[in-house]
Amino acid sequence: MNTFGKLFTLTTFGESHGAAVGGIVDGMPAGITIDIDFIQCELARRRPGQSHITTDRKEADKVELLSGVFEGKSTGAPIGFLVRNTNQHSKDYENIRDLFRPSHADYTYYSKYGIRDYRGGGRSSARITLSRVVAGALAKLVLQQQGINITAYTEQVGNIQLDRDYHQYDLSLIDSNPVRCPDPQKAKEMEELIAQVKSEGDTIGGVISCVIKGCPVGLGEPEFGKLHAQLGAAMLSINAVKGFEYGEGFAGASWRGSQQNDTFLPTDDSHQHPLCNIETNHSGGIQGGISNGEDIYFRVAFKPVATLLMEQQTVNMEGESTTMDVQGRHDPCVLPRAVPIIEAMAAMTILDTLLISRTNRF
Amino acid sequence: MNTFGKLFTLTTFGESHGAAVGGIVDGMPAGITIDIDFIQCELARRRPGQSHITTDRKEADKVELLSGVFEGKSTGAPIGFLVRNTNQHSKDYENIRDLFRPSHADYTYYSKYGIRDYRGGGRSSARITLSRVVAGALAKLVLQQQGINITAYTEQVGNIQLDRDYHQYDLSLIDSNPVRCPDPQKAKEMEELIAQVKSEGDTIGGVISCVIKGCPVGLGEPEFGKLHAQLGAAMLSINAVKGFEYGEGFAGASWRGSQQNDTFLPTDDSHQHPLCNIETNHSGGIQGGISNGEDIYFRVAFKPVATLLMEQQTVNMEGESTTMDVQGRHDPCVLPRAVPIIEAMAAMTILDTLLISRTNRF
Amino acid sequence: MNTFGKLFTLTTFGESHGAAVGGIVDGMPAGITIDIDFIQCELARRRPGQSHITTDRKEADKVELLSGVFEGKSTGAPIGFLVRNTNQHSKDYENIRDLFRPSHADYTYYSKYGIRDYRGGGRSSARITLSRVVAGALAKLVLQQQGINITAYTEQVGNIQLDRDYHQYDLSLIDSNPVRCPDPQKAKEMEELIAQVKSEGDTIGGVISCVIKGCPVGLGEPEFGKLHAQLGAAMLSINAVKGFEYGEGFAGASWRGSQQNDTFLPTDDSHQHPLCNIETNHSGGIQGGISNGEDIYFRVAFKPVATLLMEQQTVNMEGESTTMDVQGRHDPCVLPRAVPIIEAMAAMTILDTLLISRTNRF
Amino acid sequence: MNTFGKLFTLTTFGESHGAAVGGIVDGMPAGITIDIDFIQCELARRRPGQSHITTDRKEADKVELLSGVFEGKSTGAPIGFLVRNTNQHSKDYENIRDLFRPSHADYTYYSKYGIRDYRGGGRSSARITLSRVVAGALAKLVLQQQGINITAYTEQVGNIQLDRDYHQYDLSLIDSNPVRCPDPQKAKEMEELIAQVKSEGDTIGGVISCVIKGCPVGLGEPEFGKLHAQLGAAMLSINAVKGFEYGEGFAGASWRGSQQNDTFLPTDDSHQHPLCNIETNHSGGIQGGISNGEDIYFRVAFKPVATLLMEQQTVNMEGESTTMDVQGRHDPCVLPRAVPIIEAMAAMTILDTLLISRTNRF
């Protein structure tokens, strides 16, 4: 249950305040040049303390690859990796040792396992998504070579929302601002909203969009391995995610078929599109659960972070009413740091289905 | 890839116009009384031709259980089952033999496999969801015994939408109208809209809500087997689904943490809630990926059916432009018949996680 | 648990005296010509009542493919199939309804599940291996096209044993005698031994050898998916199997390394062996868990059938001492009919690893 | 493919001369006291350099648990662990960089992946079994609490073989001699044989026996997850293993059913054996693939180590004939150090099936 994927798999371990977080990537194709700087760069995009609107926890998050790479290339053997936890302030959590924090996993973990590591949320901490970024970076190294590119960006924070779709933005601007939004003006507004929410000890949710370009036709496996079902499962496994939609999504539920169908046209480029062009892309690049060669795009909803820097009412482990005041260092909004996680999960999913698709016929 | 689940699993086979559709349920706990009438009733809720707003294809959909049941009880052995296809009109599909129907899986299947069964959509037909209803009915038989109940209903068709949440409806009314909506007035409006859309040869989408009551605390497995990730994957694997959200979902993305957090209170019923009560349920019954004992609720978005009874432009398998006029018998709106499928997938998911949770500790 | 394989999978259902036995093959590559006569021929090799030394149960064992085949070719969709049980004599088993037959699965099934289908052994009957032969035949159709051939034969029955290895026999003779042994003289002796044992109401064990020719280098996945570990698991899952060895096996345990090592030589055929020849093949075609292009060969030990046509002492379900006298129709020796099952399991294993090997590198 | 198990799983990484070897155990039940000294003791039994008849490579093999343990108990979260490689002499392998060592995995790995880590065998080295011992020790901690005990011992080295079965030895003597054999006299002879073989630069194979006591009735899942099939797969995945048999194994293939059947008797101890006693145990504690409460016993054959300290003929990576003279530090016989690995694999298998058996019925 701590393993993701079928052929390209990631198994993870680690807690917020344990010795280290890390994982094992299995099924990495052999012969891929492993660019360790690229992996570290991806981690830097997820790193705490990267700007004034993220948590103050400061960690270098330096990854060590322990296996599976020889003379700079993947060997086909599993790639073990870890990142040491170096900046835990476990004492900050002493006061919640016997409390259940509202809307956190404290209560459910304790009920399920009869024990919980209360320090920083333990296994339920978003810190463990770090391993996904490492594995996602490895997957990206393979996908880049296949001409597949994945880009996520912050589309909404609270009530501030982009009003155009991804075609109308310069996606290269995403990492140029701390919220990772391709609209510089909206990015500024989002940043200010997050700063304000933070100053109030509160938190805020939002929506991230993701687009995948260059996917070949044929990824995804019916009936239960439909590509969007796999992408959805991947996204919903990220901490604080509450919803997933692709193509026209929920909004398209009120459309008619005659509006939403995508018409096939004769091809104008037999190299890229051997059989046909597709006029519109309401389908989001996936039809019948299988990629159709068009851009794949989807949206992911995040709830506001549950940790508030204000007094909240709760109960303790004896079931008695009490109040709590959280210390610790927390993100007022997870979206800026979640962008690389979304990309990582998408990359792993696409690579996994790409590998499986090689076995569909001889 | 045609298998769902980890311990309670369903593997399916079949095409719209093949000899039969069916499957194998593995991991059915032993000793459960198998009520074959109940299974057949669930199939009747999914059956084509059940009302004037569904497809005209008329099939009895009589299921035969082939194994795994002895003297009326499950034995722990796999339960094989099948439903013969009896009312195929394959000739209706001759004219699309060499065409790709817009927004169907024709093009992607052909590209992926180099061959496709064009009759009625073949493997991509929604007819194959019949197997899910059988397996879901088996799962429900186990869950009922554990006091867990699952209810889905049509919440939105086109622009007609319920304006209250599930607490405020009498859910026993759902099967009393052909759209399966608990609000009789809205149900009438939805029914009229579907009839009108049908008369125009067009189709319409919508949203189904689902609520699960009586779940124990502790279902769902971090980190990748979070309960909502499993539910989401299950729902997104259903034909025509474009989105999934639980708890406050996409709408909650614009809330603040101080609004969305659920406060723990001292318990007022130590039997049902041994440690605490939870004041609100914005979380949708799941915290940190694990059920917290509150109602689990989620919403599923469906696109309009791709098959229109009107002329559409497309290309043929040589890539030449052409037009098509579909014959055949089709649903103008899948939602009424999708309600039992949603329930079935939820039942299988909950049972699977329930079984796994028995291994978390001794 | 009733599923075999990772990419090419077989899931089975059925009991000896239920309505049918069958299964679902998933992951069949698309575009393969499905020779239904070949499948039926393979079943005929496993069929009861095929000679005087097998069980008297007479069944046509006619298989029906229910899906996954269109216009004579595989489509990539799962292939559902079934064989109706037509010649059950369930009444023969009335007298063992409340007994545990010695060395059968009656006691363990009952203890595990709290219920058992006593008729003909229910799910534990060797009749259910029929599904393996169907799936194995499908796998063979793919492997033949890749130049891979699998041949099993009876090497030992009781104390009658072949004294030469497979190179020294004409393997085309295997199906020319009822015990499926390539040495006509030994075959005769084995046949007589089985007939004699049968006349005494007793049973006898033996050993089957299997050789796989034409395997490419590179099948098998370290560390837990070693090719011989997968083959061993496949063989040990067959009813009545008690041992598996490959290469020099148990006998080689007393050798020295200098005797057992296989020396590499320069290639004399760069097409078949691009890098090198291998002088001897003590390794059995597998080194480090990966096929090396040489013949793969292994041996499988079967215990004598547990059902004796003589009085035996046992206890009933209340734990009281009693005696039993089995009616029913049984094989005095399973080996002749197990030969095609061994081949089927080998074929599925090799195809599964062949598919996975396509994902090792781009 | 580097993951073992279904509910209690081990995923491993590492190479002989990489930075570290380690793994992740997932599915460890929560609340188990983690005795780190016990784990380290188990590793010491596998450690290189522990006696004059094992390899001279000297490593402390100190394990670090990185997660999943809190205040001395398992939390239900995955347990990541690693052992740093500290005593690599990679230069010893420079001379085989371009050679394929006979009967090693050099040729198959290179052919499969197009690249190989030649240092010490890379991923194919037996050093990576270290991770299995750690995971097996964790499994043993759970099993001990359930009254299940697993003991393996060296039964044969070359032609020196025990002549009695496990009942007739004091198994507490196993770790009292360097070959891990319960017969002190035979142990002495084996030790001398290994020393002599070592002095000649040669190697020798052998057989290890294993017995599992205290297993409840009901472990193992038909049809493909039969307990002995899972045990066999586990054992065959260990480096240098060539065969597996349980119960009467290959020898029993020449018996008659009337000799090999185990008779049920009325119980004389309704606590331990609620329904019946079993007079003999030719079945090896497993009937129909399910444990029957009797001792489970099996035997595992090892080939002689492929690395010889003598000149051997081979080819280089250009396919040219050459000779090689291996340096490095190697075991003349793997059996003494393989005993704890066998136990570890058995422990993981039993725990995995024990967990699954909890889901067979409510």
Side-chain angles (χ1 to χ4, degrees):
Chain A
M1 297 307 191
N2 291 282
T3 295
F4 178 82
K6 187 173 171 78
L7 289 179
F8 179 90
T9 63
L10 168 66
T11 304
T12 71
F13 70 85
E15 294 96 26
S16 179
H17 288 232
V21 295
I24 301 175
V25 167
D26 198 6
M28 181 74 179
I32 305 291
T33 299
I34 303 302
D35 180 346
I36 185 78
D37 292 337
F38 174 71
I39 301 170
Q40 199 63 55
C41 269
E42 290 290 287
L43 277 177
R45 298 173 73 209
R46 199 216 73 96
R47 193 170 58 82
Q50 63 184 267
S51 80
H52 69 111
I53 56 168
T54 63
T55 168
D56 298 330
R57 180 167 172 164
K58 288 223 163 40
E59 300 230 21
D61 283 352
K62 186 141 179 47
V63 67
E64 182 184 11
L65 302 190
L66 297 163
S67 64
V69 182
F70 182 62
E71 298 181 343
K73 296 201 171 189
S74 61
T75 63
I79 300 177
F81 63 88
L82 63 78
V83 171
R84 293 276 170 187
N85 291 327
T86 57
N87 191 15
Q88 308 102 306
H89 292 184
S90 300
K91 271 182 302 186
D92 289 353
Y93 294 89
E94 271 302 318
N95 65 326
I96 61 153
R97 185 188 185 105
D98 300 314
L99 300 181
F100 299 130
R101 290 171 300 161
S103 286
H104 269 285
D106 299 346
Y107 169 61
T108 52
Y109 267 67
Y110 180 71
S111 300
K112 183 180 184 68
Y113 297 113
I115 183 175
R116 78 181 164 103
D117 178 352
Y118 62 85
R119 302 164 306 163
R123 181 68 183 158
S124 73
S125 165
R127 178 153 181 80
I128 66 167
T129 58
L130 184 157
S131 300
R132 303 175 180 217
V133 174
V134 175
L138 290 166
K140 280 184 176 182
L141 289 172
V142 185
L143 295 180
Q144 281 163 7
Q145 184 178 294
Q146 304 289 318
I148 302 172
N149 284 290
I150 297 170
T151 311
Y153 59 87
T154 300
E155 183 188 299
Q156 177 186 340
V157 171
N159 287 312
I160 304 167
Q161 192 163 3
L162 296 194
D163 40 23
R164 285 170 286 159
D165 78 15
Y166 72 88
H167 292 98
Q168 295 168 280
Y169 292 104
D170 176 357
L171 300 183
S172 72
L173 298 176
I174 290 167
D175 279 319
S176 67
N177 59 69
V179 287
R180 297 202 160 84
C181 170
D183 180 326
Q185 177 53 36
K186 293 278 189 182
K188 198 80 203 146
E189 295 173 33
M190 290 171 178
E191 188 179 341
E192 286 163 7
L193 174 57
I194 296 170
Q196 183 202 326
V197 161
K198 182 181 183 184
S199 73
E200 297 170 12
D202 212 339
T203 62
I204 189 85
V207 174
I208 290 177
S209 267
C210 184
V211 56
I212 306 171
K213 288 170 172 290
C215 252
V217 191
L219 306 193
E221 301 293 313
E223 137 173 54
F224 298 107
K226 292 191 174 86
L227 183 52
H228 55 271
Q230 293 193 48
L231 284 168
M235 299 307 145
L236 288 158
S237 77
I238 300 172
N239 304 43
V241 169
K242 303 295 283 190
F244 169 87
E245 61 179 7
Y246 79 106
E248 299 297 346
F250 277 89
S254 59
W255 295 25
R256 298 216 173 175
S258 55
Q259 297 168 303
Q260 192 158 159
N261 274 4
D262 295 315
T263 302
F264 290 109
L265 301 176
T267 187
D268 55 7
D269 171 5
S270 63
H271 179 68
Q272 179 88 23
H273 303 285
L275 285 171
C276 58
N277 274 353
I278 305 180
E279 192 172 27
T280 49
N281 186 16
H282 301 301
S283 300
I286 303 172
Q287 288 173 333
I290 303 171
S291 64
N292 67 1
E294 302 297 306
D295 291 351
I296 295 168
Y297 61 91
F298 58 84
R299 301 171 75 244
V300 182
F302 288 81
K303 69 166 187 172
V305 175
T307 305
L308 314 182
L309 297 180
M310 54 176 74
E311 191 179 283
Q312 292 184 87
Q313 192 181 349
T314 189
V315 298
N316 62 22
M317 286 165 72
E318 276 70 48
E320 301 160 337
S321 189
T322 183
T323 60
M324 57 175 282
D325 222 335
V326 168
Q327 308 300 321
R329 298 151 300 171
H330 299 281
D331 286 278
C333 177
V334 294
L335 279 83
R337 294 176 59 204
V339 163
I341 302 167
I342 295 268
E343 290 180 8
M345 294 308 295
M348 283 190 271
T349 305
I350 294 297
L351 178 52
D352 198 31
T353 56
L354 181 64
L355 292 173
I356 293 172
S357 74
R358 293 165 69 98
T359 69
N360 290 140
R361 47 170 161 153
F362 282 90
Chain B
M1 296 308 191
N2 291 283
T3 296
F4 178 82
K6 187 173 171 78
L7 289 179
F8 179 89
T9 63
L10 167 66
T11 304
T12 71
F13 70 85
E15 293 95 28
S16 178
H17 288 232
V21 297
I24 301 174
V25 166
D26 199 7
M28 181 74 180
I32 305 292
T33 299
I34 303 301
D35 180 345
I36 186 78
D37 292 337
F38 174 72
I39 302 171
Q40 199 62 56
C41 270
E42 289 291 286
L43 277 176
R45 299 173 73 210
R46 200 216 72 97
R47 193 169 58 83
Q50 63 185 266
S51 80
H52 70 110
I53 56 168
T54 63
T55 168
D56 298 328
R57 180 169 174 164
K58 288 222 163 40
E59 301 230 20
D61 284 353
K62 185 141 180 50
V63 68
E64 184 186 9
L65 302 191
L66 298 162
S67 64
V69 182
F70 182 63
E71 299 182 342
K73 297 202 170 187
S74 61
T75 64
I79 300 177
F81 62 89
L82 63 78
V83 172
R84 293 276 170 187
N85 291 327
T86 58
N87 191 15
Q88 308 102 308
H89 292 186
S90 300
K91 271 182 302 187
D92 288 354
Y93 293 89
E94 271 302 317
N95 66 324
I96 61 152
R97 186 190 183 103
D98 301 314
L99 299 181
F100 299 130
R101 290 171 300 161
S103 285
H104 269 284
D106 299 346
Y107 170 61
T108 53
Y109 267 66
Y110 180 71
S111 299
K112 182 179 184 70
Y113 297 113
I115 183 175
R116 78 180 164 103
D117 178 352
Y118 62 85
R119 302 164 306 163
R123 179 70 182 157
S124 72
S125 165
R127 177 153 182 82
I128 66 168
T129 57
L130 184 157
S131 300
R132 303 175 180 216
V133 173
V134 175
L138 289 167
K140 279 184 176 182
L141 289 172
V142 185
L143 295 181
Q144 282 163 7
Q145 184 177 295
Q146 303 290 318
I148 302 172
N149 284 290
I150 298 170
T151 312
Y153 60 87
T154 299
E155 181 187 301
Q156 177 186 342
V157 171
N159 287 312
I160 304 167
Q161 193 164 2
L162 297 193
D163 40 24
R164 285 170 285 159
D165 77 15
Y166 71 88
H167 292 98
Q168 296 168 280
Y169 292 104
D170 176 358
L171 299 184
S172 72
L173 298 177
I174 290 168
D175 279 319
S176 67
N177 59 69
V179 287
R180 298 203 158 83
C181 170
D183 179 326
Q185 177 52 37
K186 293 278 189 182
K188 198 81 203 146
E189 293 172 35
M190 290 172 179
E191 189 180 340
E192 285 164 8
L193 174 58
I194 296 171
Q196 183 202 326
V197 160
K198 183 181 182 184
S199 73
E200 297 169 14
D202 212 340
T203 61
I204 190 84
V207 174
I208 291 178
S209 266
C210 185
V211 56
I212 306 171
K213 287 171 173 289
C215 252
V217 190
L219 306 194
E221 301 294 313
E223 135 173 58
F224 297 107
K226 292 191 174 85
L227 183 53
H228 55 271
Q230 293 194 48
L231 284 168
M235 299 306 146
L236 288 158
S237 78
I238 301 172
N239 303 44
V241 169
K242 303 296 283 189
F244 169 87
E245 61 179 6
Y246 80 105
E248 299 297 345
F250 277 89
S254 58
W255 295 25
R256 298 216 174 174
S258 54
Q259 298 169 302
Q260 193 158 158
N261 274 4
D262 296 315
T263 302
F264 289 110
L265 301 177
T267 188
D268 54 8
D269 170 6
S270 63
H271 180 67
Q272 179 88 23
H273 302 285
L275 285 170
C276 58
N277 274 353
I278 305 181
E279 190 172 29
T280 48
N281 187 15
H282 301 302
S283 299
I286 303 172
Q287 287 172 333
I290 302 171
S291 64
N292 67 2
E294 303 296 307
D295 291 351
I296 295 168
Y297 61 92
F298 58 85
R299 300 171 76 245
V300 182
F302 288 81
K303 70 166 186 172
V305 175
T307 304
L308 314 181
L309 297 180
M310 55 174 74
E311 191 178 283
Q312 291 184 87
Q313 193 182 349
T314 188
V315 299
N316 61 23
M317 286 165 72
E318 277 70 48
E320 300 160 338
S321 188
T322 184
T323 59
M324 58 175 282
D325 223 336
V326 169
Q327 308 300 321
R329 298 151 300 171
H330 299 281
D331 286 279
C333 177
V334 294
L335 279 84
R337 294 176 59 206
V339 163
I341 304 167
I342 295 268
E343 290 180 8
M345 295 309 296
M348 283 190 271
T349 305
I350 294 297
L351 178 52
D352 198 31
T353 56
L354 181 65
L355 292 173
I356 294 172
S357 74
R358 293 164 69 96
T359 69
N360 289 141
R361 47 169 161 154
F362 283 90
Chain C
M1 298 314 183
N2 291 283
T3 296
F4 178 81
K6 188 175 170 78
L7 289 179
F8 179 89
T9 63
L10 167 66
T11 304
T12 71
F13 70 85
E15 293 96 27
S16 180
H17 288 232
V21 296
I24 301 174
V25 167
D26 198 7
M28 181 73 180
I32 304 292
T33 299
I34 302 302
D35 180 345
I36 186 78
D37 292 337
F38 175 72
I39 301 170
Q40 198 63 55
C41 270
E42 290 291 286
L43 278 176
R45 299 173 73 209
R46 200 215 73 97
R47 194 168 58 81
Q50 64 184 266
S51 81
H52 70 112
I53 56 168
T54 63
T55 168
D56 299 328
R57 179 167 173 164
K58 288 223 162 40
E59 299 229 22
D61 285 352
K62 186 142 178 47
V63 67
E64 183 185 10
L65 302 191
L66 298 163
S67 65
V69 182
F70 182 62
E71 298 180 344
K73 296 201 170 191
S74 61
T75 63
I79 299 178
F81 63 89
L82 63 78
V83 172
R84 292 276 169 187
N85 291 328
T86 58
N87 191 16
Q88 309 101 304
H89 291 186
S90 300
K91 270 182 301 186
D92 289 353
Y93 294 90
E94 270 302 317
N95 65 325
I96 61 153
R97 185 190 184 104
D98 300 313
L99 300 182
F100 299 130
R101 290 171 300 161
S103 286
H104 269 285
D106 299 346
Y107 170 60
T108 52
Y109 268 67
Y110 180 71
S111 300
K112 183 180 183 69
Y113 298 113
I115 183 175
R116 77 178 165 105
D117 178 352
Y118 62 86
R119 302 163 306 162
R123 180 69 183 158
S124 73
S125 165
R127 178 154 181 79
I128 66 167
T129 59
L130 185 156
S131 301
R132 302 174 180 219
V133 173
V134 175
L138 290 167
K140 279 185 175 181
L141 289 172
V142 184
L143 295 180
Q144 282 163 7
Q145 183 177 295
Q146 304 290 316
I148 301 172
N149 285 290
I150 297 169
T151 311
Y153 60 88
T154 299
E155 182 188 301
Q156 177 186 341
V157 171
N159 287 312
I160 305 167
Q161 192 164 3
L162 297 194
D163 41 22
R164 287 170 284 160
D165 77 15
Y166 71 88
H167 292 98
Q168 295 168 280
Y169 292 104
D170 176 357
L171 300 183
S172 72
L173 298 176
I174 290 168
D175 280 318
S176 68
N177 60 70
V179 287
R180 297 203 160 83
C181 170
D183 180 326
Q185 178 53 38
K186 294 277 190 184
K188 199 79 204 147
E189 296 172 32
M190 291 172 179
E191 189 180 341
E192 286 163 8
L193 174 58
I194 296 171
Q196 184 203 326
V197 160
K198 182 181 182 183
S199 73
E200 297 169 12
D202 212 340
T203 60
I204 189 84
V207 174
I208 290 178
S209 266
C210 184
V211 56
I212 306 171
K213 288 171 172 289
C215 251
V217 191
L219 306 193
E221 301 294 314
E223 123 167 74
F224 298 107
K226 292 192 174 85
L227 183 52
H228 55 271
Q230 293 194 47
L231 284 168
M235 299 307 146
L236 288 159
S237 77
I238 300 171
N239 303 45
V241 169
K242 303 296 282 190
F244 169 87
E245 62 179 7
Y246 80 105
E248 300 297 346
F250 277 89
S254 59
W255 295 26
R256 298 215 175 175
S258 54
Q259 297 168 302
Q260 191 157 160
N261 274 5
D262 295 315
T263 301
F264 290 109
L265 300 176
T267 187
D268 55 8
D269 172 4
S270 65
H271 180 67
Q272 179 89 23
H273 303 285
L275 286 171
C276 58
N277 274 353
I278 305 180
E279 192 173 28
T280 49
N281 186 17
H282 301 301
S283 300
I286 303 172
Q287 288 173 334
I290 302 172
S291 66
N292 68 1
E294 302 297 306
D295 292 350
I296 295 168
Y297 62 92
F298 57 85
R299 301 171 77 244
V300 182
F302 288 81
K303 69 166 187 174
V305 174
T307 305
L308 314 181
L309 298 180
M310 54 176 72
E311 190 180 283
Q312 292 184 87
Q313 192 181 352
T314 188
V315 298
N316 62 22
M317 286 165 72
E318 276 69 49
E320 300 161 338
S321 188
T322 183
T323 61
M324 57 175 282
D325 222 337
V326 168
Q327 309 299 320
R329 299 151 300 171
H330 299 281
D331 286 278
C333 176
V334 294
L335 278 83
R337 293 176 59 205
V339 163
I341 303 167
I342 296 268
E343 290 180 8
M345 295 309 295
M348 284 190 272
T349 305
I350 295 297
L351 178 52
D352 198 31
T353 56
L354 181 64
L355 292 174
I356 294 172
S357 75
R358 293 165 69 97
T359 69
N360 289 141
R361 48 169 160 153
F362 282 90
Chain D
M1 295 309 192
N2 290 283
T3 295
F4 178 82
K6 189 173 170 79
L7 289 179
F8 179 89
T9 63
L10 168 66
T11 304
T12 71
F13 70 85
E15 292 96 27
S16 179
H17 289 230
V21 297
I24 300 175
V25 167
D26 199 7
M28 180 75 180
I32 305 292
T33 300
I34 302 302
D35 180 345
I36 186 77
D37 292 338
F38 174 72
I39 302 170
Q40 199 63 56
C41 270
E42 289 291 285
L43 278 176
R45 298 173 73 210
R46 200 215 72 97
R47 194 169 57 82
Q50 62 184 268
S51 80
H52 70 110
I53 57 167
T54 64
T55 170
D56 299 329
R57 179 169 174 164
K58 289 223 163 41
E59 300 229 22
D61 284 352
K62 185 140 179 49
V63 67
E64 183 185 10
L65 302 191
L66 298 163
S67 64
V69 182
F70 181 62
E71 298 181 343
K73 297 201 171 190
S74 61
T75 63
I79 300 177
F81 63 89
L82 64 77
V83 171
R84 293 275 170 187
N85 291 327
T86 57
N87 191 15
Q88 308 102 305
H89 291 185
S90 299
K91 270 182 301 186
D92 288 354
Y93 294 89
E94 270 303 317
N95 66 323
I96 62 152
R97 184 190 187 104
D98 301 313
L99 300 181
F100 300 130
R101 291 170 300 160
S103 286
H104 269 284
D106 299 346
Y107 170 61
T108 53
Y109 267 67
Y110 180 72
S111 299
K112 183 178 183 71
Y113 298 113
I115 182 175
R116 78 179 165 105
D117 178 352
Y118 61 87
R119 302 163 307 163
R123 180 68 183 159
S124 72
S125 166
R127 177 154 181 80
I128 66 167
T129 57
L130 184 157
S131 301
R132 302 174 180 217
V133 174
V134 174
L138 290 166
K140 280 184 176 183
L141 290 172
V142 184
L143 295 180
Q144 281 164 6
Q145 183 178 295
Q146 304 290 317
I148 302 172
N149 284 291
I150 298 169
T151 311
Y153 60 87
T154 299
E155 179 187 301
Q156 177 186 342
V157 171
N159 287 312
I160 304 167
Q161 193 164 1
L162 297 194
D163 40 23
R164 287 171 284 160
D165 76 16
Y166 71 88
H167 292 99
Q168 296 168 279
Y169 292 104
D170 175 357
L171 300 183
S172 72
L173 297 176
I174 290 168
D175 280 318
S176 68
N177 59 69
V179 287
R180 298 202 158 83
C181 170
D183 179 325
Q185 176 54 36
K186 292 278 189 182
K188 198 80 203 146
E189 295 172 33
M190 290 172 178
E191 188 179 342
E192 285 164 7
L193 174 59
I194 296 171
Q196 183 202 326
V197 160
K198 182 181 182 183
S199 73
E200 296 169 12
D202 213 339
T203 61
I204 189 83
V207 174
I208 291 178
S209 266
C210 184
V211 55
I212 306 171
K213 288 171 172 289
C215 252
V217 191
L219 306 194
E221 302 293 314
E223 139 173 55
F224 298 107
K226 292 192 173 85
L227 183 53
H228 55 271
Q230 293 193 47
L231 284 168
M235 299 307 146
L236 288 158
S237 77
I238 300 172
N239 303 43
V241 169
K242 302 296 281 191
F244 169 88
E245 61 180 7
Y246 80 105
E248 300 297 346
F250 277 89
S254 58
W255 295 25
R256 297 216 176 175
S258 54
Q259 299 168 302
Q260 192 156 159
N261 274 4
D262 295 315
T263 302
F264 290 110
L265 300 176
T267 186
D268 55 7
D269 171 5
S270 64
H271 179 67
Q272 178 89 23
H273 302 285
L275 286 170
C276 58
N277 273 354
I278 304 179
E279 190 172 29
T280 49
N281 187 16
H282 301 301
S283 299
I286 303 173
Q287 287 172 333
I290 302 171
S291 65
N292 68 0
E294 302 296 307
D295 292 351
I296 295 168
Y297 61 92
F298 57 84
R299 299 171 77 244
V300 182
F302 288 80
K303 68 166 187 173
V305 175
T307 305
L308 315 180
L309 298 180
M310 54 176 74
E311 190 179 282
Q312 293 184 87
Q313 192 181 351
T314 189
V315 299
N316 62 22
M317 286 165 72
E318 275 69 48
E320 300 161 339
S321 187
T322 183
T323 60
M324 56 174 284
D325 224 337
V326 168
Q327 309 299 322
R329 299 151 299 171
H330 300 281
D331 286 278
C333 177
V334 294
L335 278 84
R337 293 177 58 205
V339 163
I341 302 168
I342 296 267
E343 290 180 7
M345 294 309 295
M348 283 190 271
T349 304
I350 295 297
L351 177 52
D352 198 30
T353 56
L354 181 65
L355 293 174
I356 293 172
S357 74
R358 293 165 69 97
T359 69
N360 289 141
R361 47 170 161 153
F362 283 91

